[in-house]
Amino acid sequence: MIIPVSVKNQSIDSSGITSDYKAAISEYVWNGFEANATKVSIEYTHNEAFGVKELIIKDNGEGINYNELGETFGAFLASKKNLLSLQMKSKANKGKGRFSFIAFSNNAEWHTVYKDNDVYKEYDIAMSSDKKEVIDCSEPQLSEQNATGTEVRFFNINTLTVENMSFEVIESALLKDFAWFLYLYKNKDAEIIVNGEKIDYKKYINTDLSEKVMVTIDGYRFEINLIVWQQSISEKFCCYYFDEKNILKGKRTTTFNHNTINFNHSVFVKSDFFDDKENVIDDHEDTQINLFESQDEKKILKKLHKEIQKLIEKKISVYLSDKAEEAVEAMITERKTFPNFSDDVYGQMRKNDLKRVTKEIFKLEPLIFHKLKQIQEKSLLGFLNLLLSSEERENVLTIIEQVVELSPQQRADFSMILKKTSLENIIDTIKFIEDRYKVIELLKSIVYDLTKFANERDHVQKIVERHFWLFGEQYNLASADQRMQKALEQYRNILYGEEDVTAELNPDAENERRMDIFLCNTRNVETTFETTQEENIVVELKAPRVPLTKKVLRQVEDYMDYVRRQPQFNSELRKWKFIAVCKEVDDYVKSQYKAFEDKGKVGLVFQVDNCEVYALTWDDIFKSFEIKHKPMLERLKYDRERVANELMAAVSDTEGREKADTLTEIAVAQVL
C-alpha cells in the first residue's frame, strides 16, 4: 500500500525538521516510549572508513497499528500520540518526528509487530529522503512473534561517523532528553541501550536529593516526583502535571526560578485529579487557575503547590548544607578571609562556632556572601566573630533580619542555632577540661604514688607522646624515642613537606642518642626578613625515681650541642628549647636557676645563641596547666577532686607495676 502524505516534499523540508542527528535519534527513541515501550536499543555497524554503515533503533512497545496509519504516518504536523509528546519541551513535535531520519540518512525502514484483536501481525514501512511525501507499506501478515515492538533501520547514511556515535557522545545527548523519564519509570525497568551498554541517568540526576512523595489532598492522591539535576538545564524549572494515563496536562514554573544557588530541578506530578483537565495552568503568576470552575478544585491545586514548595525547600536546605560546607572551607583555605584562631582548644572552639553560624547564614541567604571582594568578606566575618565572642551574640539575628527577610520558622531555627552553638561550646569546654584533668591526675599518680614501679619508656613517655599538649598546644610531634638523625629527618618532613628527606648529618656518637620527645611548630613573627619563624622543643624524660641532676642536664646540653653543629639547623629563624623533666631537681640545678633568673623564664638553666635549656619538675608542668586553665575552671566550678576519685576507684583492685600499667593505658586512651 502506498500512503501519500498530505504535503509536498519541499514543504516537509522547510517545516523545521531537525538537522541535528542526535536530536533526530532522540525523536525515534521517544516514538518507542510513546508506544509504551520499556526498552529502546540503539545499534550501529561501521564500514572500513569508520563511517556508520547501518543504524537500528528497536523498542518493545505496542507497535504501529496498520489500521491507524492514515492518522499517524499519513498526517503531517499532527500526531495521534499524546502520551509524552510535550516531554521537557515547550511544544510537541506534531508528527514531524518520523521524518527526522533525513538529518543523517537517505532511507528508513520500519518493521513493526502489533496486536490486532489478540492476533499478532507484522508489516514493513519504507521512506526515502527524496520522496518523503510517499510512504510505502507492505500488507500486514500473521506474525510468529508473540511480542509487539518496532524496529527502524536507517541505511545509506551519509554524515555519521563512529566518533559521532561513541557511547560518551550519544549517552550525554540522550540523558538531556530522557534522564527524567528513565528515573521516573525506573520501577518499570525503562532503559536505553547503546550497542549493548546501558545509559545511566544517575550521571544527570542527583539521586540523593531527588525524591518521590505521596500526598492526599481532599480525597485525591498525588504522586510528586522532585528531580534535582546534576548540572544546569536550559529549560525553566517547572512542575509538569500528568493524569493517570501519563498524559501531560500542563505545566507551571516553580517559585524557585530566580534562585542564585544553582538548585536545578523539575517536578513531575501524577494524579487522577487531572484526568478530565486540559491546560492546567500556564504560569504561577496567574491568580486564576485555568479551566478550574470549582472553588474546591482551585483550593486543592493551591494546597498541592504548597506541598511541592515544602518539598523543594526541604531539599534546598540539604543542598545548601553541602554547599555551605564548601563555601566556608573556601573562605578558610582559598580566600583566607576567615579570622585567625589560636591552635589551642579554646581557639578551635571559637573557630568551630563561627563556622557553624556562617554556614547557617549561608543557608538562609547565600547572596549575603555573593560576589563580595576579599576585603569585604574578611571584614564581615571579622565583625561576625566579634559579635559571637561577646555578650551581644543574640544581636546577630537582628542584623541578619535587616538583610534577609526571614520566615517565623527560619527566625526560630537561626535563634536556636545561636543558642545551640553557645551551649555546644560550653559542653565541649567542660569535656575538654575534664579529659585533660584526667590525664593530669593519672600522670600525678604515676609520678608521685607509683614512683618505685613506673619507668620512663613504659609509662611516662607513652603518656607524654600521646598528650604533648603538656608542653604546648601549637606543636606537632616530630618524633618520640628515636635516634636523633631520624628525628631531625622527620622534623624537616613536617615543616617543609619533604617526602624524600636526605639530611646529611655529620657522624657523631651523639647521633645514637635518643630524643625522647621532639616537638616542632612554625609561626609568623616580625623579623627583618618578614618571614616565618620555627620553634622546636626537645624533651628528655626520666623515670619518676630519677632526680634531675647535673648528669641529666649534661645529656640535654649534648643534644643542644649536636643540633648547633648542624649547619642546616642553626638559622637565627629557628628557636630551640631543650627541656629535661624529672620529679625533683638537685642543688646544682637550683644554682643554675639563680644564674638565669634575670631572664624571667621559669626553669631556664642555660642559654646560647638561639638555644635555651630548661630543667623542670613535673610539678612545674602540672602547675602551669592549672594556672592557664584557672579562669575557665572557676567559671565552670569544676570538681577536680571528684574526677581524681573516680579514676582511682577504677584501679582500686590493682597494685604496683600493674596499677602503673593500667593508669598508663587509661591516659593513652584519652582522645583530646
Side-chain angles (χ1 to χ4, degrees), residues 66-80:
Y66 186 83
N67 300 319
E68 298 173 352
L69 275 176
E71 301 175 54
T72 54
F73 272 70
F76 185 63
L77 296 183
S79 177
K80 183 175 183 297

Side-chain angles (χ1 to χ4, degrees), residues 98-136:
R98 56 187 171 275
F99 296 97
S100 299
F101 71 91
I102 64 176
F104 58 85
S105 173
N106 291 322
N107 298 87
E109 291 184 356
W110 285 258
H111 179 78
T112 185
V113 179
Y114 67 102
K115 202 170 184 180
D116 185 15
N117 294 324
D118 295 328
V119 176
Y120 289 94
K121 295 182 179 181
E122 61 183 338
Y123 67 98
D124 298 318
I125 303 171
M127 294 179 65
S128 64
S129 61
D130 58 346
K131 296 184 68 175
K132 295 181 284 295
E133 74 277 15
V134 177
I135 300 172
D136 188 3

Side-chain angles (χ1 to χ4, degrees), residues 29-41 58-63 83-84 147-150 178 181-193 198-199 246:
V29 175
W30 273 124
N31 285 341
F33 285 131
E34 288 182 326
N36 292 317
T38 58
K39 178 179 179 180
V40 178
S41 65
K58 296 189 290 188
D59 68 68
N60 63 351
E62 297 171 347
L83 179 61
L84 293 168
T148 61
T150 299
F178 298 99
F181 178 83
L182 296 175
Y183 175 78
L184 291 184
Y185 291 90
K186 59 183 180 295
N187 293 333
K188 294 184 178 180
D189 298 322
E191 60 183 9
I192 301 174
I193 310 293
K198 184 176 177 181
I199 74 170
N246 294 320

Side-chain angles (χ1 to χ4, degrees), residues 589-607 613-614:
V589 174
K590 291 177 182 178
S591 67
Q592 290 298 105
Y593 288 160
K594 289 186 177 295
F596 288 88
E597 63 182 354
D598 61 316
K599 302 296 183 181
K601 297 181 178 181
V602 176
L604 182 65
V605 293
F606 188 74
Q607 183 177 22
V613 178
Y614 291 83

Side-chain angles (χ1 to χ4, degrees), residues 113-381:
V113 179
Y114 67 102
K115 202 170 184 180
D116 185 15
N117 294 324
D118 295 328
V119 176
Y120 289 94
K121 295 182 179 181
E122 61 183 338
Y123 67 98
D124 298 318
I125 303 171
M127 294 179 65
S128 64
S129 61
D130 58 346
K131 296 184 68 175
K132 295 181 284 295
E133 74 277 15
V134 177
I135 300 172
D136 188 3
C137 301
S138 66
E139 292 294 324
Q141 305 290 329
L142 292 177
S143 176
E144 296 180 358
Q145 299 183 45
N146 292 320
T148 61
T150 299
E151 174 182 303
V152 56
R153 184 184 302 267
F154 308 96
F155 53 98
N156 289 328
I157 296 171
N158 45 36
T159 58
L160 296 187
T161 65
V162 173
E163 186 177 359
N164 293 149
M165 292 297 296
S166 68
F167 182 79
E168 293 76 13
V169 172
I170 295 300
E171 181 185 46
S172 177
L174 292 176
L175 284 176
K176 290 178 181 178
D177 284 340
F178 298 99
W180 68 275
F181 178 83
L182 296 175
Y183 175 78
L184 291 184
Y185 291 90
K186 59 183 180 295
N187 293 333
K188 294 184 178 180
D189 298 322
E191 60 183 9
I192 301 174
I193 310 293
V194 179
N195 267 14
E197 193 169 353
K198 184 176 177 181
I199 74 170
D200 184 6
Y201 62 80
K202 293 179 182 178
K203 294 179 181 177
Y204 214 71
I205 292 176
N206 186 326
T207 54
D208 292 331
L209 289 175
S210 301
E211 184 177 349
K212 179 175 80 172
V213 297
M214 304 293 293
V215 298
T216 301
I217 301 174
D218 296 351
Y220 288 98
R221 190 76 167 157
F222 294 89
E223 177 186 299
I224 305 172
N225 274 283
L226 169 66
I227 289 183
V228 181
W229 306 103
Q230 296 278 23
Q231 51 190 289
S232 61
I233 58 175
S234 57
E235 299 85 2
K236 287 185 176 181
F237 307 145
C238 289
C239 295
Y240 297 86
Y241 301 101
F242 293 87
D243 66 12
E244 277 298 295
K245 295 181 180 179
N246 294 320
I247 296 175
L248 184 60
K249 291 302 185 75
K251 66 178 181 177
R252 60 167 269 173
T253 56
T254 74
T255 57
F256 298 91
N257 266 279
H258 303 294
N259 73 71
T260 60
I261 58 174
N262 298 319
F263 185 75
N264 302 287
H265 63 281
S266 300
V267 181
F268 300 83
V269 183
K270 178 180 176 181
S271 174
D272 60 359
F273 176 74
F274 302 110
D275 282 356
D276 57 348
K277 312 293 189 306
E278 295 293 339
N279 191 26
V280 173
I281 194 168
D282 288 324
D283 197 300
H284 68 274
E285 300 293 342
D286 190 349
T287 56
Q288 298 297 318
I289 298 175
N290 300 347
L291 302 183
F292 279 75
E293 297 179 0
S294 165
Q295 288 296 322
D296 290 338
E297 288 182 335
K298 291 180 181 180
K299 290 179 181 178
I300 290 172
L301 201 54
K302 287 179 179 178
K303 290 179 181 178
L304 173 63
H305 294 160
K306 286 184 179 180
E307 291 293 335
I308 292 171
Q309 182 163 335
K310 189 194 316 182
L311 175 60
I312 295 175
E313 286 176 348
K314 183 183 80 170
K315 290 301 180 177
I316 284 180
S317 178
V318 176
Y319 172 80
L320 284 179
S321 293
D322 295 336
K323 291 294 180 182
E325 184 74 37
E326 295 174 12
V328 173
E329 284 306 311
M331 295 172 190
I332 297 172
T333 59
E334 294 177 20
R335 296 193 294 279
K336 312 290 186 186
T337 55
F338 219 67
N340 292 320
F341 296 89
S342 60
D343 291 331
D344 59 29
V345 175
Y346 304 130
Q348 294 308 298
M349 285 180 182
R350 289 180 58 213
K351 181 178 181 179
N352 290 333
D353 183 28
L354 180 58
K355 286 174 67 175
R356 281 190 288 256
V357 174
T358 304
K359 288 175 189 176
E360 292 304 315
I361 294 174
F362 183 91
K363 287 191 283 184
L364 286 173
E365 183 49 85
L367 274 177
I368 291 178
F369 299 99
H370 187 58
K371 292 186 178 179
L372 285 182
K373 294 180 180 179
Q374 278 187 290
I375 187 64
Q376 294 171 322
E377 187 173 88
K378 190 170 186 177
S379 299
L380 175 60
L381 292 170

